[in-house]
Amino acid sequence: MIGMSFVKDCVLDAMEVQQLFLDAVQSGTMEGFYKLISNFQTQSEPAYCGLASLSMVLNALAIDPGRKWKGPWRWFDESMLDCCESLEVVKVNGISFGKLVCLAQCSGAEVEAFRTSHSSIDEFRKYVILCSRSDDCHVITSYHRGTFKQTGTGHFSPIGGYHAGKDLALILDVARFKYPPHWVPLTLLWEAMDRVDESTGQHRGFMLISRPHREPGLLYTLSCKDNSWVSTAEYLMVDVPRLLESTNVNDVRRVISVIFMSLPSDFSEFIKWVAEVRRSEDGGQQLSNDEKQRLCVKEEILRQVQETGLYKHVQEFMSSVNSCCMNKKYTCWQDSLPEIAARVCCQGAELMAGRSVSSTGFCCSQTSVNNLKAVGDEPITVVSGKVVNGGIEQGIDVLVPRSPSKVTNCCGSKPSDSTGMHPAGSDVLTALLLALPEETWSGIRDDMLLKEIRSLVSIENFPTLLQEEVLHLRRQLHILKKCQGNNLEEDLGLCPNP
């Protein structure tokens, strides 16, 4: 702890700083420090203070990023936090308070955000003490450096601890090239957060970040890595209820038709099938027990989706000639097996890299579909291929859950051999309908139809696995709706200078 300074009008010597630390440890308000300092990260760009703070906290909370960083390691890095705002924009302008909150939620964390204009110093102190006494939550502050007589303007950094006797907060400054971790009076930190950002007219604040109560989805996820999420989220959350209210719908099929026939053209980039990806590190034909278990769970969720009453209605609609021809993006049934394998490999590579395929130019070659067997086990489908991105070539295997549903002829084409390759459009669209908020259906005027729809989308009697999958999607939709509001109305807390 030698080198930590006390920011006010003086700088304490090393012995005094160490004594502050020891006092705080003895009083039990440094519990959150150890996980944070073990995952300390110095921002790699002058405007990456928000990304560095968030990545540090997410790793301290051991939240799974849902993809690999490098090699076999699942680890958050600034380069992976490109949801809600592109890294190119953040590098120039920093990231807003609202978008950092959204980014934390999209990354799987539970977040409570407070602006000083809607909070108090006593509430702030309460949360600082709460997180300092636990390693299950952490506080990230957005403040103005000028209050501390430091160089720079807006800045983000986590709080690493609290000294109750002197009412001091320990800031773990992610601009480590400028300032070491330092103690500041909590009242002074509040003053720094209570500054109005001149570019937005909004106050800064703090956010409380903790582990989610529920694990992320296993089969489906919503993507905000492409601009399609803005139009698709608005369509699902705003336009669909209006369409159902203004259209005379008299049966379930008509309801489904109203929703799906007007889907944005880039909808396919919005909801993704979560592929399990592993690197081709050896030529063995055995899957690890963990991989087998995850695949079994995925297949069970997929089976549960297909056993719902809503799925049967969606499948009937998707099997009709009109709906089958409405958009080839929603049904890959007429594609050849090599084309499907290449697309699956590229999707796996996308998840590993945490980027949009369309923006990075992944190219897949030498794809194949194999059935791996273990003694006494059912055959397991694995799509293998080499993915090329620029001059980098990487072999990957993607575990594929089986889909037992039959494939019907589509627009006069022959049925392909892709049955079992991946969840079909009916599975994805059923899951998305189940995830829509309850008020979506309230505009339906036919009472009997409204009762039937609500029965079909109710998850009350669903198996636990499917309930959790749907609740995960609902939570993601809710987050994206809030993020859209932040993007449009609350461009806050920019920190272009560390």
Side-chain angles (χ1 to χ4, degrees), residues 79-309:
S79 62
M80 298 165 62
L81 299 176
D82 57 352
C83 173
C84 303
E85 191 72 281
S86 72
L87 295 178
E88 289 75 16
V89 172
V90 177
K91 187 179 294 187
V92 175
N93 299 321
I95 191 168
S96 71
F97 184 89
K99 286 179 182 176
L100 189 64
V101 171
C102 175
L103 182 54
Q105 292 173 317
C106 289
S107 299
E110 294 284 349
V111 186
E112 291 183 78
F114 305 86
R115 300 184 185 280
T116 56
S117 54
H118 296 92
S119 184
S120 68
I121 188 172
D122 291 333
E123 186 174 35
F124 176 52
R125 182 181 290 107
K126 177 186 72 175
Y127 284 122
V128 169
I129 295 173
L130 174 69
C131 290
S132 296
R133 292 186 178 277
S134 168
D135 59 8
D136 292 331
C137 65
H138 300 289
V139 176
I140 293 179
T141 59
S142 170
Y143 58 93
H144 195 286
R145 283 196 181 278
T147 305
F148 301 151
K149 299 182 179 179
Q150 297 176 342
T151 60
T153 53
H155 191 59
F156 289 98
S157 277
I159 292 180
Y162 176 73
H163 191 290
K166 296 184 180 294
D167 196 29
L168 301 175
L170 176 61
I171 294 180
L172 300 181
D173 199 323
V174 293
R176 184 63 183 82
F177 47 88
K178 292 180 65 174
Y179 299 103
H182 46 269
W183 293 97
V184 299
L186 188 133
T187 53
L188 193 64
L189 178 54
W190 177 263
E191 183 183 331
M193 293 192 302
D194 201 29
R195 296 276 292 269
V196 173
D197 189 321
E198 294 180 358
S199 64
T200 63
Q202 298 285 344
H203 287 74
R204 302 178 187 276
F206 63 98
M207 59 191 78
L208 182 71
I209 301 182
S210 55
R211 283 184 59 83
H213 301 300
R214 180 174 288 103
E215 290 300 316
L218 294 173
L219 197 60
Y220 307 106
T221 189
L222 303 184
S223 173
C224 57
K225 295 184 181 299
D226 186 274
N227 289 334
S228 66
W229 78 265
V230 176
S231 59
T232 306
E234 182 177 9
Y235 173 76
L236 293 171
M237 305 293 281
V238 179
D239 295 342
V240 166
R242 291 175 180 170
L243 282 172
L244 293 176
E245 187 175 10
S246 61
T247 307
N248 184 23
V249 289
N250 50 21
D251 58 31
V252 176
R253 177 166 177 161
R254 178 59 177 153
V255 171
I256 294 173
S257 175
V258 166
I259 296 173
F260 291 165
M261 293 300 286
S262 300
L263 277 171
S265 60
D266 48 9
F267 163 74
S268 60
E269 295 300 318
F270 181 67
I271 184 167
K272 297 282 190 180
W273 161 52
V274 180
E276 281 293 339
V277 181
R278 64 187 181 95
R279 289 184 180 269
S280 299
E281 296 173 341
D282 54 54
Q285 296 296 298
Q286 300 289 330
L287 296 179
S288 71
N289 289 332
D290 286 344
E291 289 170 331
K292 293 177 187 176
Q293 187 174 8
R294 284 197 299 270
L295 192 58
C296 287
V297 172
K298 286 175 177 290
E299 291 174 351
E300 177 60 21
I301 296 174
L302 183 57
R303 183 187 65 79
Q304 291 174 5
V305 170
Q306 294 170 344
E307 288 183 349
T308 64

Side-chain angles (χ1 to χ4, degrees), residues 41-49 51-52 77-79 174 177:
Q41 185 167 342
T42 300
Q43 61 188 84
S44 61
E45 294 286 343
Y48 272 13
C49 55
L51 301 187
D77 180 73
E78 294 165 318
S79 62
V174 293
F177 47 88

